[in-house]
Amino acid sequence: MSALLLAGFLGLGSAAALAAESAPVTSANDTATLVTDRDAVGPDRHLRVGLRLQLKPGWHTYWINPGDAGDTPTLDVTADGGATGKGGSIHWPVPVRISEGGLMSYAYVNEVTLPEDLVLKGSGGTTLHAHGEWLVCAQVCIPESGDFTLTLPAAAQDAPEGVQAALFHKADEAMPVVSPFAASVSADGVLMLSGKGLSAASVSQAWFLPQDGGVIDQVADQPLHVSDGQLTLGLKFLKTAHRDRPLTGVVVLKDAAGQESPLQIEAHPVGGAASAPVQTASAPGQASGAEVPTGAGWLRVLLFAFMGGLILNLMPCVFPVLAMKALSLAKMGGAGRGAQLQSALFYTIGVMGAFAALGIVMIGLRLAGSAAGWGFQFQSPGFVVAVCWLLFLMGLNLLGVFEVSAGRLGQVQTGSGRGGDMMTGLLAVIVATPCTAPFMGVAIAGALGGPPVMGVLVFLSMGLGLAFPYILVAGVPGIASRMPKPGAWMGILKQVLAFPLFATCVWLLWVAAIQRGVTFVALTAGGVVLLGFAGWIYGVGQRRSMLEGGRGTVAFCRVVAVLCVVVCGAALAQGLRAAPAPVAAGAVEAGVEPFSEARLAELRAQGKPVFIDMTASWCITCMVNERVALDVPSVQEAFRSRGIVFLKGDWTNRNAAIGAFLKAHGRDGVPFYMYYAPHQDGVVLPQILTPGIVISTIGK
């Protein structure tokens, strides 16, 4: 009787519990939920959890290797309560191949469950908290995300499979199995499987899905040859592929009846694989600059990096900081040679240190599989607002609203002292990253595609180029001495130089408006007012201290100033946690269409000429090019008379499709311009445009 009562109680508990599926996160493109294979937590404390995506017709999401475009889904699961734990990595069902516009994608359509294993510690029920991110694409690509919660009760005995277990069985059926065949790959790209059971009768078709991108030309044909006990597939390696490393991925074998057998392989190199990349084939449209250098080729890349950094001094992004360095140079006119060299040295350390840190972050993100590009930090609204507020405070300091004593952080505004010189170098790099200069594309592509140590050296060379004019002024005898002698005029110059910083703040406000909407702009502007008050009251305390020496008043003013800064930080954090407000779409530019791979492929198939403009609102070079070279009557008339379709890709916010397109063409930042004449390969234009360059290119 007790056993019957216990069984009845458990049965009622299971019936009362919700099915093992969370509340859905729904968009116009798909429905996402968190699912588990059991409705309760048994004594074995093992669960399978998964992200279930139900996609609308025409939409797809991506595999672990998204292909030439796309982004990999992620799922982070944690459990708390009586039983705790953290989910493992996703197990990936085999995707379908989608070849479009000369690019290959590995994708899931209709519905997919991406499972993970979750081993729990402790006893009792548990509550699962999960965060997922995925990209869905059709004619456009839309990043999506969701937060999921699912509570599971405890079971006194092993819990049976739940309502959603069938989803996991279906995913298991699509999983690759470890290949029973020996696998090898030659230096010229021949993938070979050998073993009993391979024959022309058992294999009619086969294809290889690489686990990692950037190894083979994924859209190229894979010629198949099958004989008794052996199968070969012809692959085309990219120039970035190192042939001394095993090739991992999935080989799908298809028999005459249409039955597919996916096999997980790790093919080891044979036949004289070299440690250097084998240059056998390049990705469609791959720019020559995307090649990974070898030997003396690195010297060319380092030279390009230095020249790119040198030219970066002429880009409009760097003008506000160079204006402050001009004030520092003026002060050097009356300084000794030792002081001049010391100032140049510490400014260079600041610049090169910042470039090295930026390079390490970018290389690390690339090694982790992220598509970070040059200027990626400006895709973060929090970073944009923080830089805006910093520049505003610096402008107030230049106007004399408050002062910072020698040796402290505020010396960055006046450039005095070693710390001030280093901080000015750091700030120069921060504000320089929205711009790119000629030669930088080749250098950055080489840095991100080659060994990490050489990549850091490339970024250091870029920093040396940016700092070189200041080194030249300080190091060549006579140049610094010809600077105007310090005098009362420097006070006026110092105040005038505040206004380029305020103009930069206005630009950053505009970028924030595009990224997060008017509510976020109101928060940013409110922070400007609060920081203005903080700077003013801090200055009041300083002046009171100098005149009367009142410690209590000075302490009060400083506490109020610090509280204002803390409130700004808290408001920014809260604003970033809130969902982005929809940004009102402005008027559509005449004759301009949004970029997509599908639209590009369609236009090229129709034989229409296409001009591609990859831009971002935080890219000053992009804005300048639009004003002086693209939005001018002569160029616009040339576009109209030739029937050229203008496609614009906006990279202001993170966009995986644009990032993949840039990477496929050997670039890691904007601006990027490309012209496709009818039925011809694309031509890449320089990063600095003139009307003549544009008209000459489209007229060929």
Side-chain angles (χ1 to χ4, degrees):
M1 178 64 70
S2 298
L4 289 174
L5 289 174
L6 178 60
F9 176 76
L10 290 175
L12 289 174
S14 296
L18 294 175
E21 184 169 19
S22 70
V25 173
T26 304
S27 73
N29 318 306
D30 59 12
T31 299
T33 55
L34 181 73
V35 294
T36 62
D37 66 335
R38 306 185 190 189
D39 297 335
V41 180
D44 62 348
R45 299 188 296 276
H46 179 271
L47 284 174
R48 298 187 71 191
V49 299
L51 177 65
R52 181 188 186 188
L53 297 175
Q54 300 175 75
L55 301 158
K56 297 292 177 64
W59 293 85
H60 60 266
T61 191
Y62 294 94
W63 187 48
I64 183 173
N65 171 15
D68 294 318
D71 201 9
T72 306
T74 61
L75 178 65
D76 295 317
V77 182
T78 58
D80 58 32
T84 61
K86 185 173 178 60
S89 57
I90 292 176
H91 301 294
W92 299 94
V94 175
V96 298
R97 299 180 297 169
I98 300 177
S99 180
E100 197 171 52
L103 298 175
M104 177 68 74
S105 296
Y106 304 124
Y108 303 110
V109 298
N110 300 326
E111 181 177 342
V112 66
T113 299
L114 303 176
E116 294 182 358
D117 292 321
L118 175 60
V119 178
L120 300 169
K121 297 180 180 179
S123 59
T126 188
T127 298
L128 306 182
H129 303 278
H131 177 77
E133 295 184 357
W134 60 97
L135 182 73
V136 292
C137 294
Q139 297 300 315
V140 297
C141 289
I142 301 175
E144 295 189 348
S145 62
D147 292 299
F148 310 93
T149 302
L150 185 59
T151 299
L152 301 176
Q157 57 188 10
D158 288 347
E161 289 188 334
V163 178
Q164 309 302 336
L167 298 174
F168 293 88
H169 295 323
K170 184 178 179 180
D172 290 342
E173 292 172 359
M175 295 289 177
V177 298
V178 177
S179 173
F181 308 115
S184 61
V185 61
S186 67
D188 59 354
V190 176
L191 175 63
M192 178 183 298
L193 300 183
S194 56
K196 186 177 180 181
L198 293 173
S199 68
S202 63
V203 180
S204 62
Q205 297 180 47
W207 56 90
F208 175 67
L209 311 176
Q211 184 169 304
D212 302 308
V215 178
I216 68 170
D217 183 347
Q218 299 174 123
V219 78
D221 290 335
Q222 299 180 1
L224 170 67
H225 178 74
V226 185
S227 59
D228 287 341
Q230 190 175 88
L231 174 152
T232 62
L233 280 173
L235 307 178
K236 291 186 177 180
F237 286 126
L238 295 179
K239 295 177 182 178
T240 54
H242 288 267
R243 297 281 47 83
D244 59 341
R245 301 173 185 172
L247 180 66
T248 58
V250 176
V251 173
V252 181
L253 306 181
K254 188 173 182 179
D255 61 21
Q259 182 68 33
E260 296 181 2
S261 301
L263 306 176
Q264 183 73 43
I265 68 159
E266 183 178 44
H268 293 274
V270 296
S275 59
V278 177
Q279 301 184 5
T280 57
S282 61
Q286 175 108 355
S288 61
E291 300 177 11
V292 176
T294 56
W298 277 112
L299 295 178
R300 181 176 68 96
V301 172
L302 292 174
L303 178 61
F304 281 174
F306 177 82
M307 294 174 64
L310 186 64
I311 298 173
L312 201 57
N313 284 282
L314 304 177
M315 297 294 104
C317 305
V318 195
F319 283 172
V321 175
L322 293 186
M324 291 186 295
K325 290 314 296 177
L327 180 63
S328 178
L329 288 173
K331 290 183 177 181
M332 287 174 61
R337 180 78 182 283
Q340 297 167 4
L341 292 175
Q342 177 179 285
S343 176
L345 173 63
F346 282 94
Y347 173 69
T348 303
I349 291 174
V351 170
M352 296 182 68
F355 261 104
L358 182 62
I360 290 171
V361 170
M362 288 184 64
I363 293 169
L365 290 174
R366 282 300 179 91
L367 292 176
S370 178
W374 182 251
F376 71 95
Q377 66 272 36
F378 277 87
Q379 293 175 331
S380 165
F383 183 85
V384 170
V385 172
V387 173
C388 175
W389 286 348
L390 174 63
L391 295 179
F392 180 72
L393 285 175
M394 292 169 57
L396 294 181
N397 183 250
L398 289 172
L399 289 175
V401 174
F402 66 95
E403 299 289 342
V404 182
S405 59
R408 298 185 183 179
L409 182 62
Q411 291 171 345
V412 66
Q413 280 83 4
T414 61
S416 59
R418 299 177 180 179
D421 288 317
M422 290 181 64
M423 289 299 297
T424 306
L426 170 64
L427 185 64
V429 176
I430 290 176
V431 299
T433 48
C435 284
T436 58
F439 304 107
M440 283 181 61
V442 173
I444 295 175
L448 298 180
V453 173
M454 290 305 302
V456 174
L457 288 178
V458 170
F459 279 93
L460 287 173
S461 297
M462 228 179 303
L464 182 62
L466 181 62
F468 186 73
Y470 196 61
I471 297 174
L472 190 65
V473 170
V476 177
I479 295 182
S481 63
R482 292 189 177 92
M483 295 290 175
K485 299 300 181 182
W489 63 272
M490 292 183 60
I492 302 297
L493 176 61
K494 176 182 176 183
Q495 294 176 350
V496 168
L497 294 179
F499 294 96
L501 299 184
F502 293 149
T504 306
C505 292
V506 173
W507 160 61
L508 291 172
L509 275 173
W510 175 63
V511 174
I514 293 175
Q515 291 178 323
R516 297 293 291 258
V518 294
T519 302
F520 200 69
V521 172
L523 182 150
T524 307
V528 167
V529 174
L530 196 57
L531 291 174
F533 176 76
W536 171 78
I537 198 169
Y538 188 87
V540 168
Q542 286 183 318
R543 289 186 288 273
R544 185 70 178 271
S545 175
M546 288 186 293
L547 294 175
E548 302 176 8
R551 292 186 177 181
T553 302
V554 173
F556 172 78
C557 291
R558 289 179 177 176
V559 169
V560 172
V562 170
L563 286 176
C564 290
V565 174
V566 171
V567 170
C568 285
L572 177 58
Q574 184 64 31
L576 291 172
R577 281 196 295 269
V583 182
V588 178
E589 299 176 73
V592 176
E593 298 183 30
F595 170 83
S596 73
E597 292 282 2
R599 180 58 174 156
L600 174 60
E602 178 185 352
L603 292 170
R604 294 191 64 194
Q606 295 172 0
K608 293 185 178 181
V610 183
F611 186 91
I612 297 175
D613 173 10
M614 293 299 185
T615 183
S617 297
W618 40 259
C619 171
I620 296 293
T621 306
C622 304
M623 302 296 105
V624 172
N625 282 338
E626 288 184 9
R627 298 297 184 272
V628 305
L630 296 177
D631 295 339
V632 295
S634 60
V635 173
Q636 292 295 308
E637 176 59 31
F639 282 151
R640 283 191 294 269
S641 63
R642 292 169 171 81
I644 296 173
V645 181
F646 194 108
L647 298 183
K648 177 179 284 190
D650 189 349
W651 210 37
T652 302
N653 292 312
R654 177 179 174 271
N655 185 303
I658 292 177
F661 184 85
L662 292 171
K663 183 179 179 181
H665 292 86
R667 291 289 179 85
D668 288 275
V670 291
F672 177 74
Y673 307 101
M674 195 167 202
Y675 175 66
Y676 287 95
H679 305 296
Q680 295 185 26
D681 292 334
V683 176
V684 177
L685 282 74
Q687 292 165 297
I688 308 298
L689 296 182
T690 66
I693 291 175
V694 178
I695 293 174
S696 173
T697 301
I698 66 178
K700 292 179 180 178

